[in-house]
Amino acid sequence: EPEVTQTPSHQVTQMGQEVILRCVPISNHLYFYWYRQILGQKVEFLVSFYNNEISEKSEIFDDQFSVERPDGSNFTLKIRSTKLEDSAMYFCASSGYLNEQFFGPGTRLTVL
Amino acid sequence: AQTVTQSQPEMSVQEAETVTLSCTYDTSESDYYLFWYKQPPSRQMILVIRQEAYKQQNATENRFSVNFQKAAKSFSLKISDSQLGDAAMYFCAYTRYNFNKFYFGSGTKLNVKP
């Protein structure tokens, strides 16, 4: 069964460093998303991406964040200068339809 | 604005018994989709069940079923014959038809006692 994959599973970084979180969506899906979940809190929407551009972003998704689909398979989330409060679980999701999303296993980001 | 509320932060159920998790939502839309996701300690989000708002029939997936009350904006999850492997966080989620952002509730932690 096709699935969304994410790498790395755990990323530890120093405050101020750049990180890139990688995702490989399901191959025939067209819509891609990033969510984050701070420990003990609800899952929050960050950004959605379709047709090589951002279709929507939340207020969390400020200038420190960017997304890219550099080739036909990967979908990346970049945080330019990480802050302590960026520590969270980051989930990638993809959708072939607008009403169902398949989530990857997540990347746990720890900012020290 | 759409909001999803799960009023039970934590619940417990005896193995083989039935438990119901509550979820309410707020929307002015008539077409939308509702989901229950399970998040075990590994923290992966696993789709349990989905419900289309235009369908009157409640969705069922094996031991999992929902009670969808559109007028009341209520979407509860019933787990029958609970198993130890059902222990997890359960999140209710909403997405508007033809709109691609998910709104999640705060989650309910389900404990299953042997």
Side-chain angles (χ1 to χ4, degrees):
Chain A
E1 187 174 331
E3 59 183 19
V4 177
T5 59
Q6 290 184 241
T7 54
S9 57
H10 188 196
Q11 174 91 49
V12 180
T13 189
Q14 295 291 326
M15 189 171 56
Q17 294 296 305
E18 174 184 287
V19 294
I20 298 176
L21 310 183
R22 292 183 166 80
C23 169
V24 179
I26 294 173
S27 62
N28 61 347
H29 283 184
L30 301 176
Y31 300 87
F32 315 113
Y33 318 83
W34 283 101
Y35 292 82
R36 81 170 185 190
Q37 184 185 30
I38 295 171
L39 187 63
Q41 298 186 21
K42 68 169 66 177
V43 177
E44 302 173 288
F45 169 77
L46 289 178
V47 66
S48 57
F49 192 86
Y50 170 71
N51 199 27
N52 284 320
E53 61 182 25
I54 291 173
S55 49
E56 186 178 2
K57 59 183 180 180
S58 71
E59 62 275 9
I60 303 168
F61 195 88
D62 61 23
D63 292 344
Q64 292 299 313
F65 292 88
S66 63
V67 288
E68 195 176 41
R69 189 159 161 79
D71 53 42
S73 60
N74 290 285
F75 179 51
T76 62
L77 174 69
K78 182 193 288 187
I79 309 174
R80 289 188 182 81
S81 179
T82 50
K83 303 189 267 293
L84 294 176
E85 54 264 37
D86 293 328
S87 293
M89 196 78 166
Y90 288 81
F91 292 101
C92 173
S94 71
S95 176
Y97 303 93
L98 289 174
N99 52 29
E100 186 165 326
Q101 295 180 17
F102 294 86
F103 284 78
T107 292
R108 184 153 64 104
L109 177 64
T110 301
V111 182
L112 303 176
Chain B
Q2 287 84 2
T3 57
V4 179
T5 302
Q6 293 179 248
S7 58
Q8 305 152 316
E10 188 167 359
M11 293 192 71
S12 295
V13 63
Q14 207 69 36
E15 196 176 4
E17 297 293 307
T18 295
V19 64
T20 299
L21 310 183
S22 301
C23 173
T24 59
Y25 57 93
D26 184 28
T27 183
S28 57
E29 303 297 325
S30 57
D31 287 326
Y32 50 86
Y33 293 76
L34 297 162
F35 303 84
W36 279 98
Y37 281 87
K38 172 184 177 181
Q39 188 181 47
S42 66
R43 298 189 74 183
Q44 178 154 8
M45 299 287 283
I46 302 165
L47 177 65
V48 175
I49 199 165
R50 55 174 276 171
Q51 174 79 45
E52 292 88 344
Y54 64 85
K55 289 187 178 178
Q56 292 185 336
Q57 187 173 9
N58 289 323
T60 299
E61 287 287 341
N62 301 313
R63 298 183 295 107
F64 299 88
S65 62
V66 299
N67 183 7
F68 174 49
Q69 301 288 329
K70 191 173 184 179
K73 296 179 182 174
S74 170
F75 181 61
S76 60
L77 174 70
K78 185 171 84 171
I79 306 173
S80 304
D81 186 25
S82 298
Q83 300 175 359
L84 294 177
D86 294 334
M89 284 290 287
Y90 286 81
F91 291 95
C92 178
Y94 162 101
T95 187
R96 204 181 98 185
Y97 177 72
N98 209 29
F99 196 85
N100 54 15
K101 178 168 66 178
F102 271 32
Y103 296 87
F104 284 88
S106 54
T108 297
K109 183 180 179 185
L110 178 66
N111 304 304
V112 181
K113 300 176 181 178

Short mmCIF file of all heavy atoms in Angstrom, two decimals, chain A residues 1-7 22-27 29 31-34 73 75 91-95 101-106, chain B residues 44:
data_model
loop_
_atom_site.label_atom_id
_atom_site.label_comp_id
_atom_site.label_asym_id
_atom_site.label_seq_id
_atom_site.Cartn_x
_atom_site.Cartn_y
_atom_site.Cartn_z
N GLU A 1 0.84 -1.19 0.00
CA GLU A 1 0.00 0.00 0.00
C GLU A 1 0.88 1.25 0.00
O GLU A 1 1.82 1.36 0.79
CB GLU A 1 -0.88 -0.01 1.27
CG GLU A 1 -1.92 1.09 1.29
CD GLU A 1 -2.87 0.97 2.46
OE1 GLU A 1 -3.12 -0.16 2.94
OE2 GLU A 1 -3.39 2.00 2.90
N PRO A 2 0.60 2.19 -0.88
CA PRO A 2 1.43 3.41 -0.92
C PRO A 2 1.34 4.19 0.38
O PRO A 2 0.30 4.19 1.03
CB PRO A 2 0.84 4.20 -2.10
CG PRO A 2 -0.50 3.63 -2.33
CD PRO A 2 -0.47 2.23 -1.88
N GLU A 3 2.45 4.85 0.73
CA GLU A 3 2.46 5.61 1.96
C GLU A 3 3.34 6.84 1.80
O GLU A 3 4.20 6.91 0.92
CB GLU A 3 2.96 4.75 3.11
CG GLU A 3 4.35 4.18 2.91
CD GLU A 3 4.78 3.27 4.05
OE1 GLU A 3 3.92 2.80 4.80
OE2 GLU A 3 5.99 3.04 4.17
N VAL A 4 3.13 7.77 2.69
CA VAL A 4 3.95 8.98 2.75
C VAL A 4 5.14 8.67 3.64
O VAL A 4 4.98 8.09 4.72
CB VAL A 4 3.14 10.15 3.34
CG1 VAL A 4 4.01 11.40 3.47
CG2 VAL A 4 1.91 10.44 2.48
N THR A 5 6.33 9.04 3.19
CA THR A 5 7.52 8.83 4.01
C THR A 5 8.17 10.17 4.35
O THR A 5 8.02 11.15 3.60
CB THR A 5 8.55 7.93 3.29
OG1 THR A 5 8.93 8.54 2.05
CG2 THR A 5 7.95 6.56 3.00
N GLN A 6 8.85 10.18 5.48
CA GLN A 6 9.51 11.42 5.93
C GLN A 6 10.91 11.08 6.46
O GLN A 6 11.10 10.05 7.11
CB GLN A 6 8.71 12.10 7.04
CG GLN A 6 7.41 12.71 6.58
CD GLN A 6 6.71 13.46 7.70
OE1 GLN A 6 5.59 13.11 8.09
NE2 GLN A 6 7.35 14.50 8.22
N THR A 7 11.84 11.97 6.17
CA THR A 7 13.19 11.83 6.72
C THR A 7 13.69 13.20 7.17
O THR A 7 13.34 14.23 6.55
CB THR A 7 14.17 11.26 5.68
OG1 THR A 7 14.12 12.07 4.49
CG2 THR A 7 13.85 9.83 5.35
N ARG A 22 12.29 16.52 5.05
CA ARG A 22 11.97 15.96 3.74
C ARG A 22 10.79 15.00 3.80
O ARG A 22 10.61 14.27 4.78
CB ARG A 22 13.19 15.26 3.15
CG ARG A 22 14.30 16.22 2.78
CD ARG A 22 15.49 15.56 2.12
NE ARG A 22 16.36 16.55 1.51
CZ ARG A 22 17.26 17.29 2.17
NH1 ARG A 22 17.40 17.12 3.47
NH2 ARG A 22 18.00 18.16 1.54
N CYS A 23 10.06 15.00 2.73
CA CYS A 23 8.87 14.17 2.63
C CYS A 23 8.78 13.63 1.20
O CYS A 23 9.11 14.34 0.24
CB CYS A 23 7.64 15.02 2.95
SG CYS A 23 6.04 14.29 2.58
N VAL A 24 8.35 12.40 1.10
CA VAL A 24 8.01 11.85 -0.21
C VAL A 24 6.54 11.50 -0.18
O VAL A 24 6.13 10.53 0.48
CB VAL A 24 8.84 10.60 -0.56
CG1 VAL A 24 8.43 10.05 -1.93
CG2 VAL A 24 10.33 10.93 -0.56
N PRO A 25 5.72 12.29 -0.83
CA PRO A 25 4.27 12.04 -0.83
C PRO A 25 3.93 10.79 -1.65
O PRO A 25 4.78 10.24 -2.35
CB PRO A 25 3.69 13.29 -1.49
CG PRO A 25 4.78 14.32 -1.45
CD PRO A 25 6.05 13.53 -1.52
N ILE A 26 2.70 10.37 -1.58
CA ILE A 26 2.22 9.29 -2.42
C ILE A 26 2.27 9.73 -3.87
O ILE A 26 1.89 10.87 -4.20
CB ILE A 26 0.80 8.87 -1.98
CG1 ILE A 26 0.88 8.27 -0.58
CG2 ILE A 26 0.18 7.89 -2.96
CD1 ILE A 26 -0.45 7.96 0.08
N SER A 27 2.72 8.85 -4.74
CA SER A 27 3.20 9.26 -6.06
C SER A 27 2.16 9.93 -6.94
O SER A 27 2.48 10.83 -7.69
CB SER A 27 3.80 8.07 -6.80
OG SER A 27 2.80 7.08 -7.00
N HIS A 29 -0.43 11.69 -5.92
CA HIS A 29 -1.12 12.77 -5.23
C HIS A 29 -0.66 14.12 -5.75
O HIS A 29 0.47 14.28 -6.21
CB HIS A 29 -0.89 12.67 -3.72
CG HIS A 29 -1.72 11.60 -3.08
ND1 HIS A 29 -1.73 11.39 -1.73
CD2 HIS A 29 -2.58 10.70 -3.61
CE1 HIS A 29 -2.57 10.41 -1.46
NE2 HIS A 29 -3.08 9.97 -2.57
N TYR A 31 -1.72 17.22 -3.94
CA TYR A 31 -1.80 18.23 -2.90
C TYR A 31 -0.91 17.80 -1.74
O TYR A 31 -0.94 16.64 -1.31
CB TYR A 31 -3.24 18.39 -2.41
CG TYR A 31 -4.20 18.80 -3.50
CD1 TYR A 31 -4.82 17.85 -4.30
CD2 TYR A 31 -4.50 20.13 -3.72
CE1 TYR A 31 -5.69 18.22 -5.31
CE2 TYR A 31 -5.38 20.51 -4.72
CZ TYR A 31 -5.97 19.55 -5.51
OH TYR A 31 -6.83 19.91 -6.50
N PHE A 32 -0.17 18.74 -1.22
CA PHE A 32 0.80 18.43 -0.18
C PHE A 32 0.66 19.43 0.96
O PHE A 32 0.31 20.60 0.74
CB PHE A 32 2.23 18.45 -0.74
CG PHE A 32 2.35 17.74 -2.05
CD1 PHE A 32 2.64 18.44 -3.20
CD2 PHE A 32 2.16 16.37 -2.13
CE1 PHE A 32 2.73 17.79 -4.43
CE2 PHE A 32 2.26 15.71 -3.36
CZ PHE A 32 2.53 16.43 -4.50
N TYR A 33 0.96 18.94 2.16
CA TYR A 33 0.72 19.74 3.36
C TYR A 33 1.84 19.51 4.37
O TYR A 33 2.44 18.44 4.42
CB TYR A 33 -0.60 19.35 4.02
CG TYR A 33 -1.74 19.13 3.08
CD1 TYR A 33 -1.90 17.91 2.43
CD2 TYR A 33 -2.67 20.12 2.82
CE1 TYR A 33 -2.94 17.69 1.55
CE2 TYR A 33 -3.73 19.91 1.95
CZ TYR A 33 -3.86 18.69 1.32
OH TYR A 33 -4.89 18.48 0.45
N TRP A 34 2.02 20.51 5.19
CA TRP A 34 2.82 20.35 6.41
C TRP A 34 1.98 20.79 7.60
O TRP A 34 1.29 21.82 7.55
CB TRP A 34 4.10 21.19 6.37
CG TRP A 34 5.18 20.61 5.50
CD1 TRP A 34 5.52 21.00 4.24
CD2 TRP A 34 6.07 19.54 5.83
NE1 TRP A 34 6.55 20.23 3.76
CE2 TRP A 34 6.92 19.33 4.71
CE3 TRP A 34 6.25 18.74 6.97
CZ2 TRP A 34 7.91 18.37 4.71
CZ3 TRP A 34 7.24 17.77 6.94
CH2 TRP A 34 8.06 17.59 5.82
N SER A 73 9.40 14.06 -6.80
CA SER A 73 8.99 13.18 -5.72
C SER A 73 9.08 13.82 -4.33
O SER A 73 8.25 13.55 -3.48
CB SER A 73 9.82 11.90 -5.74
OG SER A 73 11.19 12.19 -5.59
N PHE A 75 9.12 16.68 -1.26
CA PHE A 75 8.45 17.90 -0.80
C PHE A 75 9.13 18.28 0.50
O PHE A 75 9.15 17.50 1.45
CB PHE A 75 6.96 17.60 -0.61
CG PHE A 75 6.15 18.76 -0.12
CD1 PHE A 75 6.20 20.00 -0.74
CD2 PHE A 75 5.29 18.61 0.97
CE1 PHE A 75 5.44 21.07 -0.30
CE2 PHE A 75 4.52 19.67 1.42
CZ PHE A 75 4.60 20.90 0.79
N PHE A 91 4.56 16.90 10.58
CA PHE A 91 3.93 15.88 9.74
C PHE A 91 3.74 16.41 8.33
O PHE A 91 3.24 17.51 8.12
CB PHE A 91 2.55 15.49 10.29
CG PHE A 91 2.59 14.77 11.60
CD1 PHE A 91 2.32 15.43 12.78
CD2 PHE A 91 2.88 13.40 11.64
CE1 PHE A 91 2.35 14.76 13.99
CE2 PHE A 91 2.91 12.72 12.84
CZ PHE A 91 2.65 13.40 14.02
N CYS A 92 4.11 15.59 7.39
CA CYS A 92 3.80 15.84 6.00
C CYS A 92 2.56 15.02 5.66
O CYS A 92 2.35 13.92 6.20
CB CYS A 92 4.98 15.39 5.14
SG CYS A 92 4.70 15.43 3.37
N ALA A 93 1.74 15.54 4.79
CA ALA A 93 0.56 14.80 4.32
C ALA A 93 0.38 15.05 2.84
O ALA A 93 0.83 16.07 2.30
CB ALA A 93 -0.68 15.22 5.09
N SER A 94 -0.27 14.10 2.18
CA SER A 94 -0.59 14.31 0.77
C SER A 94 -2.00 13.85 0.51
O SER A 94 -2.57 13.04 1.26
CB SER A 94 0.41 13.59 -0.14
OG SER A 94 0.24 12.19 -0.11
N SER A 95 -2.55 14.38 -0.55
CA SER A 95 -3.94 14.09 -0.87
C SER A 95 -4.11 14.01 -2.38
O SER A 95 -3.59 14.85 -3.12
CB SER A 95 -4.83 15.18 -0.29
OG SER A 95 -6.17 14.97 -0.66
N GLN A 101 -6.59 13.08 3.56
CA GLN A 101 -5.15 13.28 3.62
C GLN A 101 -4.48 12.08 4.28
O GLN A 101 -4.97 11.55 5.28
CB GLN A 101 -4.81 14.55 4.40
CG GLN A 101 -5.31 15.80 3.70
CD GLN A 101 -4.99 17.08 4.43
OE1 GLN A 101 -4.15 17.11 5.32
NE2 GLN A 101 -5.67 18.14 4.06
N PHE A 102 -3.34 11.69 3.71
CA PHE A 102 -2.54 10.60 4.26
C PHE A 102 -1.29 11.21 4.88
O PHE A 102 -0.57 11.97 4.24
CB PHE A 102 -2.17 9.61 3.16
CG PHE A 102 -3.36 8.89 2.59
CD1 PHE A 102 -4.09 9.46 1.56
CD2 PHE A 102 -3.77 7.68 3.10
CE1 PHE A 102 -5.20 8.82 1.03
CE2 PHE A 102 -4.87 7.02 2.58
CZ PHE A 102 -5.59 7.60 1.55
N PHE A 103 -1.06 10.84 6.11
CA PHE A 103 0.03 11.45 6.86
C PHE A 103 1.26 10.55 6.87
O PHE A 103 1.16 9.33 6.93
CB PHE A 103 -0.40 11.70 8.31
CG PHE A 103 -1.31 12.88 8.46
CD1 PHE A 103 -2.66 12.78 8.15
CD2 PHE A 103 -0.82 14.10 8.90
CE1 PHE A 103 -3.50 13.87 8.27
CE2 PHE A 103 -1.66 15.19 9.04
CZ PHE A 103 -2.99 15.08 8.72
N GLY A 104 2.42 11.20 6.85
CA GLY A 104 3.67 10.50 7.06
C GLY A 104 3.88 10.23 8.54
O GLY A 104 3.10 10.68 9.38
N PRO A 105 4.96 9.53 8.86
CA PRO A 105 5.22 9.16 10.26
C PRO A 105 5.75 10.31 11.11
O PRO A 105 5.85 10.17 12.33
CB PRO A 105 6.29 8.07 10.13
CG PRO A 105 6.98 8.37 8.86
CD PRO A 105 5.94 8.94 7.94
N GLY A 106 6.08 11.43 10.48
CA GLY A 106 6.52 12.59 11.23
C GLY A 106 8.03 12.67 11.41
O GLY A 106 8.74 11.67 11.37
N GLN B 44 2.67 8.50 14.89
CA GLN B 44 2.17 8.54 13.51
C GLN B 44 0.66 8.72 13.53
O GLN B 44 -0.04 8.20 14.40
CB GLN B 44 2.52 7.24 12.78
CG GLN B 44 1.98 7.20 11.37
CD GLN B 44 2.77 6.32 10.45
OE1 GLN B 44 3.66 5.61 10.88
NE2 GLN B 44 2.46 6.38 9.16
#
